[in-house]
Amino acid sequence: MAVTTLTIDEVDVAVEAGSTILQASQEAEIRIPVLCHLEGVSDVGACRLCLVEVEGINKLLPACVTEVSEEMKVHTNTPRLQEYRKMIVEMLFAEGNHVCAICVANENCELQDLAVEVGMDHTRFSYRFPTDRDVDVSHERFGIDRNRCVLCTRCVRVCDEIEGAHVWDVAERGEVCKVVTGLNQPWGEVDACTACGKCVDACPTGAIFRKGVTVAEMERDRAKLEFLVTAREKKEWTR
Amino acid sequence: MEWAELQEWADQARQKRKNIRVYCCTSTGCQASNSPAVKKAMDKAVKEANLGTEVQVVSVGCMGFCGQGPIVEVENSQDPNHYRLYEQVTPEQAPSIIKGLQGEIVTATPGNPNHPFFAHQLQIVREHSGQIDPESIEEYLAVGGYQGLHHSLFEMSPEEVVQEITRSGLRGRGGAGFPTGLKWSTVAKMPPGQKYVICNADEGDPGAFMDRSVLESDPHRIIEGMAIAGYAVGADHGYIYVRAEYPLAISRLEKAIKQAKRNNVLGTQIFGSAINFSVEIRVGAGAFVCGEETALIASVSGGRGVPRPRPPYPAVVGLYGKPTLINNVETLGNIAPIITKGADWYASIGTGKSKGTKIFSLTGNVIYNGLIEVPMGITLREIVEEMGGGVPNGGQVKAVQTGGPSGGCIPADQLDISVDYESLSAAGSMMGSGGMVVMDQDTSMVGVAKYYMEFCQEESCGKCIPCRAGTVQMYDLLKKLLAEEATAADLAQLQELCDMVKATSLCGLGQTSPNPVLSTLRYFESEYQDLLQPAMSKV
Ligand SMILES: Cc1cc2nc3c(=O)[nH]c(=O)nc-3n(C[C@H](O)[C@H](O)[C@H](O)COP(=O)(O)O)c2cc1C
Ligand code: SF4
Ligand code: SF4
Ligand code: SF4
Ligand code: FES
Ligand code: FES
């Protein structure tokens, strides 16, 4: 096995040649935030959360698709990167409906976790929601609420690359982009769907969900409600 | 085919040309002002005057002076002094123009061929535009067509062709200005096997129509350039990716490809050599992002036209995973003359690092607008004030926008800069593909920034978050500014967004989308400040 040595945040790392910076950092147990990356399917470098700085290179590079090279010096968490990541997460929250309190994925959501990770407590950007992103519950077992979709295309890739059904794809462009099923048909009418549920598992947010199940399993955290009440009454917003 | 045979072929084509040629522009611009009817009326007038043996009415491509169309030009090979240019010609004026050949007074509006609009030009890519019938391979042969290809195939090795292009100093005209020879040699060095050449004729920049005009006016020139490129890099197949909004360019290209195949300058064993090269057209639906090379490749191969991260570059992993050379229309239009006239000739034109000419579509608040091809190093002032005639009604130039949505505004006090890749980018703008919009004193620069941001947010492919969501947020902030509802904090946020979107976007569209904002902020910051609320707040 050919080995490449590099440093990530001043830590010496040796990885198999041809690995990505993301793989190398995982090996070194250095956490780089990701959203569109999903182990086992191809990478698209779309969410830009994994951008890192590499000494001697002006541009920021996406760790998920950039291969390591000998003696590369990678910085994964500079103040500049922290600020950009925070803005990216804020923009996602401004783009759709991310009112976690009423979401099936609450406490089981990668976007929510990312918000915590980058230290985002509110968004500075103007809300775009509501838009005409529709909800489709025509499938007998699953549903999609496009208002909670972040367009990571993980569903598109698992369905195409693992299940081989290619039910999902992206339609439109810019702000009105959306994931569609079949030829933009109701999901329930798409014959190609094998109802395997891989897209449900792949989805990082509450956009694709199992009907009934997630809500039924949801644990209610009474302490949270108590906190909200105290916060409102005593104007104490931190715990 | 032997060299002598090609010469003979060209001579025959030349002999078919009549002494007096009446050129009627039938490109898109003039068609819009009824030029096909003018051409028809000319034909009829020649017939009625019984001049059919001497006079030939030729449907030609764009002469550049589109703003004054339909344009008619009369050329007499026996009498070079008898050269006439007419503007805004109507079908009714046709008989008078033909009678003018016999000395009668012409009622059509004469144009001035010595006008700076023409005098300052140097036509290399456009040398045949308006001079030959784009739908006839014979006409192209008559002006020396396909001699560059013949010369490459029989007198030069592929390496020599690449070297010649490298030495010429030609840089990509599609926007980034990447050295063409370097790109060719990268593809050429890839191991032998299937390779492709793609001609990028997507031309998505608002207001730009250089590439369309070249394709409509001289399609064989592009095909010849592609075939030379194919020989040089070892590709036997090419695609022209052209947007569906260019139907005339598409139909003229289709005709040209058929003629080229029939005459064995395309296809298998070109000119009897061992070289094969074929060309296919791919029609794109017309998305700005599809001009980005990786998105274009995805679109040609039948996928959704969205960019992917580079590396790997198309030169290494391109169409169907094979090494692919992508060049812009205008870049390819420079190839044949470089081969026939030599790299030294080409390199003698232009500035130190920007060789040759560049085509611009000059529009906005100028008296004369249209297409111009100028040597690099000409000043912006010469273009705007002399060629374009300045702002109409005695107005003042405020700024010139170059480079389209990826470019920026150059203020009037910098009009003396040299038009070349380095100078334009030092001024905070860029060459881009060649849009040039002149703005007068009444233009709101914040409004200009908003216009380009609106374009970018609509054309963003939506794949990556900074561009998809960031351009929308920037557009909102610009709207808010113009509605006089923004505060200093909003302006600061706009600046932060510019910085972030530029640094984090996946492809060139997002990476350059803040440029119109940044360049107007650089030169016209007070206009932003003046819109802030409360009115006195300053950052
Ligand atoms: C958003 C975007 C749009 C582009 N549009 C075009 C275009 O319409 N035509 C073009 O030739 N190049 C366009 N380009 C540049 C191409 O990606 C590519 O660099 C060029 O075609 C290479 O050819 P050249 O080296 O001959 O310039 C675009 C780039 C970006 C990022
Ligand atoms: S998808 Fe995640 S971030 Fe969005 S509302 Fe649901 S829990 Fe919150
Ligand atoms: S539905 Fe879920 S997995 Fe699919 S693109 Fe949206 S957020 Fe990603
Ligand atoms: S920068 Fe814009 S156009 Fe380019 S990939 Fe990202 S979203 Fe698409
Ligand atoms: S994880 Fe790398 S860009 Fe999304
Ligand atoms: S279109 Fe006729 S001169 Fe340009």
Side-chain angles (χ1 to χ4, degrees):
Chain A
M1 177 184 103
V3 168
T4 303
T5 53
L6 66 158
T7 71
I8 303 179
D9 296 341
E10 331 263 91
V11 177
D12 290 320
V13 189
V15 286
E16 193 175 340
S19 306
T20 63
I21 295 177
L22 185 63
Q23 286 163 339
S25 70
Q26 281 163 349
E27 216 137 297
E29 293 182 359
I30 294 166
R31 156 99 189 148
I32 297 176
V34 294
L35 182 59
C36 64
H37 169 81
L38 180 69
E39 210 70 53
V41 294
S42 63
D43 276 305
V44 288
C47 75
R48 317 307 281 172
L49 284 166
C50 72
L51 288 177
V52 294
E53 287 180 31
V54 173
E55 284 181 26
I57 295 177
N58 268 336
K59 285 174 115 177
L60 304 177
L61 300 175
C64 63
V65 291
T66 307
E67 282 186 16
V68 292
S69 60
E70 197 57 38
E71 299 199 3
M72 195 180 227
K73 291 190 170 54
V74 182
H75 299 278
T76 72
N77 210 12
T78 62
R80 180 174 174 223
L81 291 172
Q82 287 172 10
E83 179 55 26
Y84 289 164
R85 283 180 190 142
K86 195 166 160 186
M87 285 172 93
I88 288 174
V89 175
E90 282 177 50
M91 288 196 304
L92 281 174
F93 272 82
E95 195 180 51
N97 169 10
H98 293 290
V99 182
C100 305
I102 49 157
C103 178
V104 288
N106 193 10
E107 300 225 313
N108 187 12
C109 170
E110 290 179 37
L111 183 62
Q112 200 177 44
D113 295 344
L114 275 170
V116 175
E117 186 176 351
V118 301
M120 183 206 114
D121 45 18
H122 71 293
T123 174
R124 287 166 288 181
F125 301 111
S126 65
Y127 281 104
R128 312 294 307 170
F129 176 80
T131 44
D132 50 7
R133 294 176 165 211
D134 50 340
V135 177
D136 179 0
V137 288
S138 60
H139 197 284
E140 102 187 65
R141 290 168 56 194
F142 315 124
I144 173 163
D145 179 355
R146 293 185 173 82
N147 298 294
R148 306 208 192 257
C149 171
V150 291
L151 286 159
C152 66
T153 67
R154 278 155 77 161
C155 54
V156 178
R157 285 172 285 149
V158 279
C159 183
D160 177 36
E161 297 171 18
I162 300 182
E163 181 63 8
H166 203 134
V167 169
W168 294 95
D169 218 320
V170 182
E172 306 286 348
R173 64 182 171 219
E175 193 189 19
V176 289
C177 257
K178 58 175 184 179
V179 284
V180 292
T181 42
L183 294 168
N184 200 10
Q185 297 151 282
W187 191 357
E189 289 171 20
V190 179
D191 291 342
C193 178
T194 61
C196 70
K198 290 191 173 70
C199 56
V200 188
D201 293 332
C203 184
T205 69
I208 306 185
F209 51 87
R210 284 194 170 76
K211 280 187 179 168
V213 181
T214 332
V215 186
E217 276 177 356
M218 199 157 69
E219 273 185 34
R220 293 200 157 56
D221 184 355
R222 298 286 167 201
K224 273 235 169 71
L225 289 181
E226 212 177 275
F227 158 70
L228 282 176
V229 174
T230 347
R232 223 177 23 224
E233 285 176 355
K234 300 188 179 165
K235 308 240 175 301
E236 263 179 37
W237 292 98
T238 46
R239 271 202 265 198
Chain B
M1 182 183 296
E2 302 281 314
W3 179 246
E5 248 181 292
L6 179 68
Q7 290 293 345
E8 203 178 305
W9 201 13
D11 279 341
Q12 280 169 7
R14 252 172 246 135
Q15 275 153 20
K16 285 197 188 146
R17 294 167 68 125
K18 296 184 183 148
N19 289 344
I20 299 174
R21 285 165 60 92
V22 177
Y23 299 124
C24 298
C25 172
T26 53
S27 274
T28 299
C30 287
Q31 280 204 1
S33 38
N34 205 21
S35 70
V38 173
K39 157 84 171 58
K40 233 189 207 158
M42 288 289 178
D43 278 324
K44 193 164 156 239
V46 170
K47 216 171 176 185
E48 280 169 5
N50 263 328
L51 287 169
T53 47
E54 264 174 87
V55 182
Q56 186 180 9
V57 180
V58 193
S59 153
V60 296
C62 175
M63 308 187 208
F65 217 31
C66 319
Q68 302 295 317
I71 305 281
V72 171
E73 211 180 281
V74 181
E75 199 182 69
N76 186 341
S77 60
Q78 305 303 98
D79 175 12
N81 291 327
H82 186 104
Y83 169 86
R84 303 265 176 89
L85 180 72
Y86 301 101
E87 300 171 3
Q88 298 179 334
V89 179
T90 61
E92 294 73 40
Q93 291 166 338
S96 143
I97 290 176
I98 297 304
K99 282 189 195 133
L101 296 170
Q102 296 158 324
E104 283 185 39
I105 291 173
V106 179
T107 55
T109 316
N112 173 11
N114 301 318
H115 189 279
F117 185 88
F118 298 106
H120 285 350
Q121 295 201 39
L122 177 64
Q123 314 263 14
I124 296 177
V125 178
R126 286 174 45 78
E127 63 183 326
H128 307 141
S129 294
Q131 304 293 310
I132 60 168
D133 180 352
E135 302 195 4
S136 151
I137 192 170
E138 290 197 338
E139 289 256 304
Y140 185 63
L141 290 167
V143 291
Y146 289 110
Q147 301 201 350
L149 176 61
H150 192 278
H151 187 77
S152 307
L153 258 43
F154 291 92
E155 314 288 329
M156 297 167 91
S157 67
E159 296 76 35
E160 282 167 344
V161 176
V162 173
Q163 272 168 23
E164 198 69 10
I165 299 302
T166 307
R167 282 203 310 119
S168 75
L170 175 65
R171 294 168 65 172
R173 301 291 193 246
F178 191 81
T180 306
L182 190 56
K183 198 187 266 185
W184 284 32
S185 75
T186 313
V187 182
K189 278 184 200 135
M190 293 299 291
Q194 184 66 57
K195 296 179 189 178
Y196 296 101
V197 174
I198 296 181
C199 169
N200 188 344
D202 188 56
E203 193 161 64
D205 284 37
F209 53 100
M210 298 81 49
D211 294 346
R212 183 191 75 200
S213 153
V214 170
L215 294 172
E216 286 177 357
S217 308
D218 200 4
H220 283 286
R221 175 55 91 69
I222 303 308
I223 293 170
E224 183 176 3
M226 288 179 77
I228 296 173
Y231 172 65
V233 304
D236 68 358
H237 198 71
Y239 291 92
I240 303 176
Y241 186 85
V242 50
R243 54 175 49 218
E245 280 121 86
Y246 287 1
L248 184 63
I250 294 170
S251 85
R252 289 186 173 169
L253 274 172
E254 279 168 349
K255 281 199 183 117
I257 291 171
K258 263 194 209 129
Q259 292 166 352
K261 263 201 249 168
R262 208 178 302 131
N263 290 285
N264 192 223
V265 291
L266 273 187
T268 46
Q269 304 188 336
I270 297 175
F271 290 124
S273 70
I275 304 298
N276 306 332
F277 192 76
S278 52
V279 173
E280 257 180 274
I281 299 175
R282 281 282 183 277
V283 178
F288 178 55
V289 74
C290 285
E292 197 281 340
E293 52 192 25
T294 59
L296 189 152
I297 285 173
S299 181
V300 168
S301 56
R304 180 175 156 84
V306 290
R308 62 157 174 81
R310 300 172 308 166
Y313 291 92
V316 181
V317 180
L319 186 61
Y320 307 121
K322 305 294 179 194
T324 301
L325 175 74
I326 297 200
N327 274 135
N328 166 260
V329 172
E330 194 183 332
T331 313
L332 289 164
N334 276 297
I335 302 303
I338 292 176
I339 297 297
T340 49
K341 296 187 190 150
D344 295 327
W345 160 78
Y346 195 82
S348 71
I349 301 160
T351 68
K353 283 185 181 160
S354 302
K355 300 297 185 193
T357 57
K358 178 79 193 85
I359 308 180
F360 291 101
S361 59
L362 182 62
T363 55
N365 301 117
V366 273
I367 298 180
Y368 304 108
N369 45 66
L371 276 191
I372 53 169
E373 180 170 0
V374 288
M376 304 251 204
I378 190 171
T379 67
L380 206 49
R381 187 179 303 284
E382 284 171 292
I383 295 182
V384 173
E385 293 184 351
E386 295 178 26
M387 305 180 75
V391 177
N393 308 320
Q396 291 289 309
V397 178
K398 181 171 183 177
V400 182
Q401 212 280 349
T402 72
S406 317
C409 293
I410 295 169
D413 61 16
Q414 290 194 30
L415 279 187
D416 289 309
I417 67 167
S418 144
V419 174
D420 59 59
Y421 288 97
E422 289 73 31
S423 309
L424 290 178
S425 62
S429 185
M430 65 185 284
M431 182 76 80
S433 56
M436 193 176 270
V437 187
V438 180
M439 293 156 181
D440 70 8
Q441 75 279 3
D442 298 330
T443 314
S444 153
M445 300 316 276
V446 185
V448 169
K450 175 181 151 241
Y451 169 81
Y452 284 104
M453 197 53 74
E454 180 172 18
F455 178 83
C456 286
Q457 59 105 27
E458 276 173 3
E459 293 294 325
S460 161
C461 82
K463 175 173 180 172
C464 72
I465 302 162
C467 170
R468 180 183 75 228
T471 51
V472 163
Q473 293 291 344
M474 287 195 279
Y475 176 59
D476 269 6
L477 287 168
L478 289 164
K479 269 201 301 199
K480 202 169 164 190
L481 266 158
L482 283 164
E484 298 190 24
E485 286 167 3
T487 62
D490 290 316
L491 185 56
Q493 185 171 76
L494 178 64
Q495 278 164 315
E496 280 173 31
L497 276 165
C498 285
D499 173 48
M500 189 268 298
V501 172
K502 199 179 166 100
T504 60
S505 289
L506 193 161
C507 86
L509 194 159
Q511 286 160 9
T512 59
S513 64
N515 287 356
V517 180
L518 290 170
S519 81
T520 46
L521 267 171
R522 174 168 163 184
Y523 295 116
F524 303 95
E525 198 190 339
S526 65
E527 287 192 30
Y528 284 84
Q529 300 282 356
D530 290 345
L531 291 166
L532 294 183
Q533 302 302 315
M536 294 307 292
S537 82
K538 300 265 166 179
V539 253

